[in-house]
Amino acid sequence: MSEPDFDVIVIGSGVTGGWAAKEFCEKGFKTLVIERGPNVEHGKYPTENAAPWNMPFRGVGDSLKTARDFGAAAPYISGLTEYADQFYVKDAEEPYQLEPGSQFHWVRGYQLGGKSLIWGRHVPRFAPMDFEANAADGHGSAWPIRYSDLEKWYDYVEDFIGVSGQAEGLPHYPDGKYLPPFELSAIEKHLKRSVEAAHPDRRLTIGRTANLTRAHRGRSPCMSRLHCQRGCSLGAYFSSQSSTLPAARATGNLTVITDTIVDSFGFDAVTKQVSSVKTISALDLSRKEYRARLFFVCASSFNSVHLLLNSRAEHRPGGIGGRSGVLGRYIMDHVMGAYVEGISDQLQDVATNGNRPTPFVVPRFQNLTSSAADFKRGYFFWGASYRLGWSRGIFTRGVGKSFKDGLSKPGPWIVGMNTCGEMLPRRENFLSLDERKLDRHGIPQLRISFRFSDNEARMMQDASREAQAMFKAAGLRILGSGSGVDPGGRLHEMGGARMGADPTQSVLNEFNQCHDAPNVFVTDGASLPSGSCYNPTLTYMALTARAAEYATTLLRQRTL
Amino acid sequence: MLTTRRRLLSTALLGAAIVHGLPIDMAAADELQSEGAPLSQTDRALLIVVAETLIPRTATPGATDVGVIDFIEFILRRGMQPAVRLAFQRGLQMFATDASKVIGKSFGEASAQQRFEYVDGLDAELFAARADAGRKPLLDCFATVKRLAVIGYFTSERGAKGTLDVQLFPGPFQGSKPVDAHSRSFYEDSFGVPAERPVGYL
């Protein structure tokens, strides 16, 4: 067998790919990162400092183009603005198939850094109960690890990336290692007092965010512009560009290639083990193969599963992990849709200054110790507030001088809360390949079968009731509320290659290593057996760093 | 919703029909998007005066000073489906006719006070939400003009710097900064420009 080109090949350069690259480079391994999208250089973000008057559509956006590019998904794509749309994949260019009756919008970011450029930066830890949820109610299969296995890795990744937050001492919302928290607004403090007085078991706190409130490892603190999705040359939020890739590059062990799609793994003819990745250029469709001892699949949940499914051979007709019978199965998202929005004429003597990059949070309070609620699992609220600004003129009665002058002064407070809930992992939600429909690179398109269940519908109704009650009790006049279930696809898609102890029930072992391909690891959201209600990205980082350490011992022992 | 960008873009397609709602026709967005024709001289002159009535020059610049008409024309030509643009243009003709009838002379020839009273009357009618089907095209058009005038004014450099708190680097976030008579709205809302009036706002 010919010598590998690299020790490690990392597929994808987003949150987990960047982390894998950093870890392996720092441990002395020659590492190749293969990114399917174009290069994006840190500090060269064309719209970062643009004011509305610098933009063709004044920052409001070209609505017709948005509809053409993103279709019915557009209203649900968090962070999609005129300033940042270059970082979002256009469905028209990268189509996928949806099983009739499924409701899902697959949001993707194909560029160096992936969705780490456009993510919401919210980084709570999963709670201990999240790792036991499947075992407790029988939906999905048991996690092979517990919070205690991951705890020091949460510490490790938080320490490197810098997380701002407020320690709260809640066992079901574990604290991390935090930089100073962002401030709550005046109206949020009011809401907090009201909620906590009425419900001693509830807490309202500031979000835990991968934005810096002081300088950290050479990166500058946040300037409260909320231009994050455009890219930030201050490095004030975590992205591969600002954080992990520079660390990897500094070792001299990193090679990055962009505009290159890994469409399948190659197998050694004799050993039948994975020995290479087969790539297609996104620019000219030319093909190239790269060999390594170890492969870390960090392509984003559904892309990672796609790669495993598409890596078929006579000895692996179902792809890598296909023999488990669960490859592609048990995909999940976070359920959203319940919301409340309120208005207040109080506290008019204060306003916020700047745009805060993190929401406030009401951590999960349902189904913690009792199961009195009419649904399983739980949800949390995240919310925001501000004094209405000039744009309230669009729906405010008034004409002329007094109208104009009024808009240049802060208006009433608006507060809103949205819900993020844990869905039950179900076998009927799954990914497959559509052999009849190829994408423009000649690769079978992904087919998504996804529906929420009655459990999620009841959960949103509960969340809506609770949210409205909290707002009413705080004296906020409710402007609107919703209790329905949004379509899936909120950037938190997970599962399809779950971890587990049993190779007939899981694709990966407790270290994210493929049961039937010991030199292939999958460390992004595809690996999750259940989704928690909390944002999963910090957990992906922790899993990646932990898996990298384990894989390193195998590399050093020459097992791989 | 004002605290996320949800549903922002779906209704932005509708141009005129912000307050009164129209069914969303995503398929229509696929129609060949030929850029609309420039404004006629008549329409341009009328829109300049309507925008100036909405946002007049006072101690700070007015709509004409900051070129709001150019933004309105840009959106008409590039930001509207042809059917919506046509409805808007019809609504504008209705505006001209109705204003003449009410004021007793053309809108352009009326005094500033007459123009103010007419536009203020339309605005009151818009917010009374009495859905008189015959008035709908006119009111939809007016709602669009108001929306575009507000956006065009406050996102212009001169308009924003003259009336808002423009800070490109606000610095550490403050949750409770004291407000006094001189305090201004921040130039950039976290969640962008809302597409529609929140139910129950007034």
Side-chain angles (χ1 to χ4, degrees), chain A residues 240-302:
Chain A
S240 300
Q241 271 85 348
S242 73
S243 179
T244 45
L245 288 179
R249 269 193 210 103
T251 66
N253 290 322
L254 178 69
T255 305
V256 176
I257 58 175
T258 59
D259 302 290
T260 303
I261 301 161
V262 176
D263 84 321
S264 60
F265 283 105
F267 300 97
D268 181 270
V270 172
T271 66
K272 311 284 192 238
Q273 292 302 319
V274 170
S275 59
S276 68
V277 289
K278 299 182 179 184
T279 71
I280 299 173
S281 164
L283 301 175
D284 61 14
L285 301 182
S286 61
R287 292 177 174 271
K288 214 171 160 181
E289 205 164 337
Y290 297 91
R291 293 180 307 274
R293 296 166 61 195
L294 171 70
F295 303 87
F296 257 54
V297 183
C298 302
S300 185
S301 306
F302 286 5

Side-chain angles (χ1 to χ4, degrees), chain A residues 173-291:
Chain A
Y173 189 58
D175 296 331
K177 311 290 182 207
Y178 297 136
L179 301 174
F182 281 87
E183 290 184 8
L184 290 173
S185 73
I187 197 77
E188 290 162 1
K189 287 181 179 162
H190 166 78
L191 181 61
K192 174 184 171 71
R193 281 190 293 269
S194 171
V195 167
E196 293 176 6
H199 304 277
D201 62 326
R202 299 187 192 181
R203 192 71 54 90
L204 188 154
T205 184
I206 189 63
R208 291 153 182 194
T209 184
N211 290 76
L212 303 178
T213 45
R214 61 169 183 243
H216 185 80
R217 296 181 183 268
R219 294 160 47 205
S220 304
C222 178
M223 289 280 116
S224 309
R225 304 179 292 173
L226 197 54
H227 292 181
C228 314
Q229 273 96 2
R230 312 179 191 191
C232 175
S233 56
L234 304 173
Y237 76 97
F238 171 87
S239 66
S240 300
Q241 271 85 348
S242 73
S243 179
T244 45
L245 288 179
R249 269 193 210 103
T251 66
N253 290 322
L254 178 69
T255 305
V256 176
I257 58 175
T258 59
D259 302 290
T260 303
I261 301 161
V262 176
D263 84 321
S264 60
F265 283 105
F267 300 97
D268 181 270
V270 172
T271 66
K272 311 284 192 238
Q273 292 302 319
V274 170
S275 59
S276 68
V277 289
K278 299 182 179 184
T279 71
I280 299 173
S281 164
L283 301 175
D284 61 14
L285 301 182
S286 61
R287 292 177 174 271
K288 214 171 160 181
E289 205 164 337
Y290 297 91
R291 293 180 307 274

